[in-house]
């Protein structure tokens, strides 16, 4: 079939169904940040609500609590989700990274054990990868998991673990062969964050909230049944996960389209005072958010016709992270002195102050975009080497 | 919803690419550019021109009922990209994408135009003079001229009813001419109420196909830059081993890859023929077409600058074939008001709330209002 | 024509820098930022505050006849840069550069203000509330408040005639407060015809000194990024050995180095005191001041983003002192309408031909018209 | 003395004098391009005219035909020169590069021999440095000049030699020690371009005109009296010359201010149709041209107070070359389809067409800016290494 840019009746019906469900179920009051204890529990509750409507992981197979939606349907779901300003997904790492990994590499026992609780929001998952000396250079990991009977004894120091302060479980890479180097000898192991010998310390981020954590392991014992895949297979599993992360699903285009829409609305209100270059940059941002969405539809269509994801992951990562930063910078520029104010006056705050604070929150977060999930400079190397065939140095 | 090309579309593009890889090399372009006059130029290009005609794309967008292939603009977009990639001197895209469909649409409402249509489908060349310009491309090989004083009428002339003078373009392969009408009668003039919408749709098609050519040009220029960077050594290593060069070329590729879907979606939203309704609300369509025009220009602009930089002093010399692609991209980028006009219209539509926004509006309104 | 600082100016800046290198380190800033309330904050900063007072810069711009040092704004610009480099929490620049000169100018035409001036020169703190904002910095240490409902009047109050509530800034070291006047009388209110021009000149000074602070901030942030890039290893080498990192930091330095002369020339064009005439036609001066505001913001914006990127995940954490400089730069960048307002006014002046252009106009008109 | 941004009476008088002289002497009709034979001679004639007014090399000492102006006075001269739209300097390489080099490194005999003829426009000079395998990497030069009695015998192939098609003399770097490597063993030698064994072939550039040339040397004999400095000292002399080139004098700020002025005037006329982002970029260009001028005044003041030029040369090169490109891109954007037209309709061409062609000429030339005089990527390395102290790789 050739290019056809109209939705089918089935797709329209799905959109209608999602829209109606969200209209009924999205909390009227926005939830507190999931980087606070209270907000985390409110977001966990929202995961349960989503699950009750079978909307928590729409692309998963039905047997694991999903709806088996295809990628175009997933995009439609996401469009409606962001259109409704529904809460952020506190279990994002579980839904988009760990879940798909487990479906591909886990045993049936592991799937049965982890997936239903993940889907229902009973378990919230954190990614436990980086170490102080291993950020973008993940192969430099040093934390060890040494086999001792039917347990691994884990020692080491992980860092920049998102959501780990309040999450229940972590998925991690450890060195199971202490004599190994670089990407050999790493294994993919999951563990409850309250395992004895595991100590989680929140790291305050730029906005002062503990959005990530460092994790210290001192002879923590983790059952070998928590190994995903084979020993030593950790690197290739992790790279598959990284493909998901940088690729299609971690940052759905709807997120940026919604931000672009809010930005254009802000610009419309400010246009009588703002400088023309800034207003033009708003239009450019809107165009780029649209381009990202169109590109994702193309990739989704290609994947559904049997293609596989390649360097798009790196192209996408660079594009959306820099777009997100540009959008938030434009908003801060439009807000002028209002952008500075950070005090939570609660209910009494006027809507325009609350909006300004949302933009500053988003700006601070967007600064991290070019850094996490593989720094953009690394992604540009990958594009040059894998897409353009330029030499690796 | 299916946003990917089918096998037929890919094969058609590949067949054109194969042909142009043979007959439209840098050396061919150089030979044509150095042809001293219009006649020798025409001779230098004759083989290629005939072979392209044989591919039979000219009448692609003419409805089947009128003797064409009845394809949609989106079926031509990859061909336009290939024409761009090769800096093809012949007006394949202009004829098949705009002039012949415009003549067919006129023929559907005007018997005198209808009488000429079979000859045009059979290979008579058609030049198009836009109402707001006095410059024409491809008059050398034209038999007919479509033109008008304003966008409320459309006139068809035989080419020998004009005199012309050659004008020089920055692109030595764009055969620009300025027409002067002799005081004679056109074959026909129509002032039908549908004419303004035909002109508007013709402009949309022209914008989209020019954008597709620019994508092809950008892709070619980046490929040339990559190849040179691997070959040229400085300070004892290929310059392409420098991270700065790698990142610059990666940036060009990013720009190209995120312009493509915009151009393709604009093409996919155009109507089946110039007089058929489009799939989209026209304000949305205009926005998407403008977006395609801008995105493709930005990609070609960055690709040209970067490729010239990467080639160093060589990039600035006439000896390098890169110039033909760069100059074509500069010439096409200025057409129809250039980036500035497209951006301004899109910007005003956005700021004055003439189009609806939101994640569900990507292909126009996805559900009825208030759903 | 002499566009370079003299020894005195350099030494004054160096003395402030030495003091702040000792007393305004990252650790000092962190201690102050973590002070749980206004009182403990004030205590944490007390030593530095006293030492800065001892340097005696506060009355630099007050005319000698009124008991000040009678210096020109350009004499203060390197000090403002140093205050920025250190993210100094105290309102040294705001007091010496704007509030005290404004009080002095008022004192020159208003005896009741004149009566208060010696105390202010002697160290009484002055907070300034601009007519178009209800937020004030530095009320904690102020004794007097200058304010007005509009720019046609200027009122002087004792600080205890206000109540205030703390407001939180993105910069934890900017002590923002929102004032509520008690129903009492000001010390004085002037509606002299010269008041609007005093406010305008005060705004110019504020813009230039904020710009100078932003230059200092940008320079500090880039220095932190360079240092980290040399120390942090990935893939077996210092990240600063990557050409991409080198070029990014070089770009920041270029931005800074071409912003500096703009800021310095704006400072050099300001009048000797708020009520003294400036060297330049005011339309030219406004353009140069806006330019300084924009250039410094752009440098600080790029420096902050680049430094955070270079620091990787660390750059996004509260643990890193870089945040204090970045946040100060964001807070200052939004003031007085931010880049957008400055750019718009400059853009309109250019496009509407309100300033004369040309290579000979760099410092305002260089020869009489028609020469 | 502290910062003082007013011109002195003496400086104003100089400006007045320059302005009056140019008003009388600048040709009313613009000269043909100096990349044509006719235009070259017309520009040589203009050099003679300048010399007759003692304006051809204002910073040179009076004994060599100059006026001994200081750097601020030079800036004033240049401002007036560009304000008057006076012709381009066909002897630019001689005036700003070779002349100052010779004054520093030449013998008295050499100065007497070359400088007066240079100053008067009798000799036009070309820079003969690059080779096919040695562009930004100048130390890779291979052409040789082997001592044979009182001559050097020169063999090799030079390229990208600006103005060489019609110029009289060249200043070049040759390898006098054929066993040497990299920057050792190079010597600075000058020669008439019509020396037997020297063949000059014009290289058409993007606009089709031969703005530069390649030069083939086959046993060309050059007297040893044409060696500047000592044998083997060529590299350090050339680096000093490169400092002049990238530094202050090759691209005076007035040139870019004049371009910015014309650009703003173009934008003013186009503003009812143009997009706001493009108009804003015009304002940004104007600001940057001003910033470059202010920066040069600061550097000049510093040099006059005894400072020396350092990495400013690299900062300047990157800044003005990228600004020049941006200005011309903005102009092309404002011109739309008019920018395409290149035909020289001569006197009959309308002023707006001629203006459009000037912008396209300038655009094509500006594309070379980031390349010549040391590619900008090399300059950024230099800035990172010498200004910021980052590692050389």
């Amino acid at each position: 079939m050739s290019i056809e840019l109209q939705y089918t009746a089935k797709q329209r019906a799905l959109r209608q169904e999602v829209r109606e469900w969200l209209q009924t179920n999205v909390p009227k009051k926005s939830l507190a940040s999931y980087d606070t204890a209270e907000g985390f529990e409110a977001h966990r509750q929202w995961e349960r609500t989503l699950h009750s409507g079978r909307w928590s992981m729409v692309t998963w197979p039905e047997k694991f609590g999903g709806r088996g939606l295809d990628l175009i349907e997933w995009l439609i779901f996401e469009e409606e989700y962001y259109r409704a300003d529904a809460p952020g997904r506190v279990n994002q790492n579980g839904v988009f990274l760990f879940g798909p990994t487990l479906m591909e590499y886990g045993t049936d026992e592991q799937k049965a054990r982890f997936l239903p609780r993940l889907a229902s929001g009973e378990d919230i998952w954190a990614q436990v990868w980086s170490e102080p000396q291993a950020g973008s250079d993940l192969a430099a990991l040093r934390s060890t998991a040494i086999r001792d009977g039917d347990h691994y004894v884990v020692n080491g120091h992980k860092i920049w673990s998102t959501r780990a302060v309040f999450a229940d479980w972590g998925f991690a890479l450890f060195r199971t062969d202490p004599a190994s180097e670089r990407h050999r000898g790493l294994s993919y192991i999951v563990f409850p964050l309250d395992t004895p010998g595991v100590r989680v310390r929140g790291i305050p981020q730029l906005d002062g909230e503990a959005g990530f954590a460092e994790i210290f392991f001192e002879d923590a014992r983790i059952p070998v049944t928590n190994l995903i895949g084979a020993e030593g297979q950790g690197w290739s599993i992790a790279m598959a996960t990284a493909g998901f992360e940088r690729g299609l699903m971690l940052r759905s285009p709807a997120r940026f389209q919604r931000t672009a829409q809010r930005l254009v609305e802000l610009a419309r209100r400010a246009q009588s005072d703002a400088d023309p270059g800034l207003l033009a940059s708003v239009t450019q941002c809107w165009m780029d958010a649209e381009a990202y969405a169109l590109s994702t539809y193309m990739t989704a269509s290609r994947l559904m016709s049997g293609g596989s994801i390649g360097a798009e992951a790196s192209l996408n990562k660079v594009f959306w992270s820099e777009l997100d930063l540009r959008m938030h910078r434009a908003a801060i520029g439009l807000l002028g002195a209002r952008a500075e104010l950070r005090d939570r006056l609660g209910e009494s705050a006027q809507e325009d102050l609350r909006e300004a604070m949302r933009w500053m929150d988003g700006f601070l977060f967007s600064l991290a975009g070019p850094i996490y999930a593989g720094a953009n400079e690394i992604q540009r190397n990958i594009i040059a080497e894998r897409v353009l065939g330029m030499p690796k140095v | 919803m299916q946003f990917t090309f089918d096998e037929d579309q890919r094969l058609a593009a590949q067949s054109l690419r194969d042909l142009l890889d043979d007959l439209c090399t840098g050396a061919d372009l150089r030979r044509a550019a150095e042809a001293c006059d219009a006649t020798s130029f025409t001779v230098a290009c004759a083989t290629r021109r005939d072979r392209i005609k044989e591919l039979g794309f000219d009448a692609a967008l003419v409805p089947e009922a009128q003797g064409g292939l009845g394809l949609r603009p989106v079926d031509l977009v990859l061909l336009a990209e290939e024409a761009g990639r090769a800096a093809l001197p012949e007006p394949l895209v202009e004829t098949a994408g705009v002039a012949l469909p415009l003549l067919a649409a006129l023929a559907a409402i005007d018997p005198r135009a209808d009488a000429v249509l079979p000859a045009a489908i059979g290979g008579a060349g058609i030049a198009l003079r836009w109402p707001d310009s006095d410059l024409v491309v491809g008059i050398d090989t034209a038999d007919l001229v479509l033109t008008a004083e304003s966008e409320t009428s459309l006139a068809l002339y035989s080419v020998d009813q004009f005199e012309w003078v050659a004008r020089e373009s920055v692109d030595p392969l764009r055969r620009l001419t300025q027409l002067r009408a002799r005081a004679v009668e056109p074959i026909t003039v129509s002032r039908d109420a549908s004419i303004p919408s035909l002109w508007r749709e013709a402009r949309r098609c022209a914008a989209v196909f020019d954008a597709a050519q620019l994508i092809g040009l950008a892709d070619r220029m980046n490929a040339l830059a990559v190849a040179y960077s691997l070959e040229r050594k400085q300070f004892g290593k290929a310059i392409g081993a420098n991270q700065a060069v790698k990142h610059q070329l990666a940036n060009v590729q990013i720009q190209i890859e995120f312009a493509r879907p915009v151009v393709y979606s604009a093409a996919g939203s155009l109507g089946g023929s110039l007089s058929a309704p489009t799939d989209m609300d026209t304000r949305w369509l205009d926005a998407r077409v403008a977006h395609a025009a801008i995105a493709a220009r930005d990609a070609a602009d960055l690709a040209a600058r970067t490729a010239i930089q990467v080639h160093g002093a060589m990039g600035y010399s006439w000896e390098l074939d890169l110039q033909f692609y760069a100059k074509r991209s500069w010439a096409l980028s200025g057409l129809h008001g250039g980036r500035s006009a497209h951006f301004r219209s899109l910007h005003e539509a956005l700021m004055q709330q003439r189009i609806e926004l939101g994640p569900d509006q990507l292909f126009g309104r996805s559900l009825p209002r208030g759903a």
Side-chain angles (χ1 to χ4, degrees), chain B residues 48-70:
Chain B
R48 183 175 58 242
R49 195 170 55 245
D50 295 343
R51 291 285 303 281
I52 288 172
K53 281 266 181 245
E54 285 166 23
L55 289 178
F57 295 129
D58 274 1
L61 303 195
V62 175
E64 283 181 274
Q66 291 181 294
L69 302 181

Side-chain angles (χ1 to χ4, degrees), chain B residues 49 66 110 124 131 164 223 237 254 293 315 328 362 364:
Chain B
R49 195 170 55 245
Q66 291 181 294
D110 184 313
W164 60 85
K237 62 179 178 181
I254 293 169
R328 177 67 51 82
L362 189 61

Side-chain angles (χ1 to χ4, degrees), chain A residues 131-138 160 182 201 203-208 212 214 271-279 325 329 333-334 336-345 353 360-361 363-368 370-371 377-378:
Chain A
E131 295 181 5
Q133 297 309 318
S136 286
D137 180 13
L138 206 57
W160 313 126
R182 302 297 296 164
R201 193 180 75 86
I203 306 175
Q205 55 197 22
L206 274 186
D207 64 5
F212 33 49
E214 54 189 334
Q271 66 185 304
S272 56
D273 297 322
D275 89 65
L278 180 57
L279 293 172
L325 184 48
R329 287 174 58 220
L334 289 166
R338 265 186 300 159
E340 178 187 2
L341 289 168
R342 295 289 288 158
D343 38 13
R344 317 274 167 183
L345 299 179
L353 179 58
M360 182 54 91
D361 283 338
F363 169 66
L364 295 176
F365 185 70
S366 74
L367 284 164
I371 300 167
E377 302 317 306
I378 307 289

Side-chain angles (χ1 to χ4, degrees), chain B residues 98-315:
Chain B
V98 187
L100 197 44
L102 187 58
L103 178 61
L106 179 63
I109 54 174
D110 184 313
R112 285 192 244 179
D114 195 41
V116 174
L117 184 61
I121 290 173
I126 313 170
L128 176 59
R129 185 172 71 171
W130 296 93
D132 54 355
S133 170
D134 57 356
L135 297 174
V136 168
V137 176
I139 200 78
D140 326 39
T141 53
D143 304 291
L144 299 166
V145 179
L146 278 168
T147 183
E149 298 307 306
S150 77
E151 299 201 356
T152 59
S153 68
L154 180 54
L156 178 65
Y157 287 85
S158 161
V159 76
D160 51 24
Q161 292 174 303
F162 291 93
E163 287 176 338
W164 60 85
V165 287
R167 297 294 303 273
E168 195 181 335
S169 164
V170 67
D171 172 4
L173 298 164
R174 255 167 73 86
R175 312 289 296 173
L176 274 190
T177 47
Q178 188 167 357
L179 301 195
R180 283 187 218 136
R182 295 176 178 157
V184 290
E185 283 300 294
I187 299 172
T188 187
V189 182
S190 173
R191 299 184 195 281
D192 188 86
S194 67
I195 299 292
S197 84
L198 291 185
W199 274 118
R200 277 197 296 277
E201 192 67 5
R203 271 192 199 277
R204 289 186 192 110
C205 287
V208 170
F209 292 129
D210 286 348
Q213 290 189 76
L214 286 162
I215 294 288
L217 285 158
D219 215 31
R220 167 66 67 116
M221 290 189 278
N222 211 37
L224 289 171
V226 168
Y228 186 80
S229 80
L230 299 181
E231 171 193 303
R232 168 76 173 172
K233 288 197 168 53
Q234 286 220 80
F235 299 103
K237 62 179 178 181
I239 59 172
N242 287 300
Q243 200 182 28
V245 175
K246 290 168 74 172
H247 284 197
Q248 281 169 21
L249 297 176
N251 285 341
V252 175
Q253 206 60 37
I254 293 169
Q255 193 99 339
I256 292 172
E257 295 307 338
F258 286 95
R260 265 187 222 284
V262 180
V263 176
Y264 297 159
S265 75
S269 306
L270 291 168
S273 74
L274 287 190
S275 51
T278 58
D279 283 348
M280 250 184 184
D281 176 277
T282 54
R283 285 182 300 183
W284 249 107
L285 180 62
D286 284 334
R288 192 61 81 220
V289 168
H291 185 175
I294 295 162
R297 279 163 173 78
D298 288 347
D301 170 60
L302 185 67
R305 277 187 285 136
T306 306
I308 289 172
Q309 303 309 309
V310 166
H311 280 83
M314 184 62 79

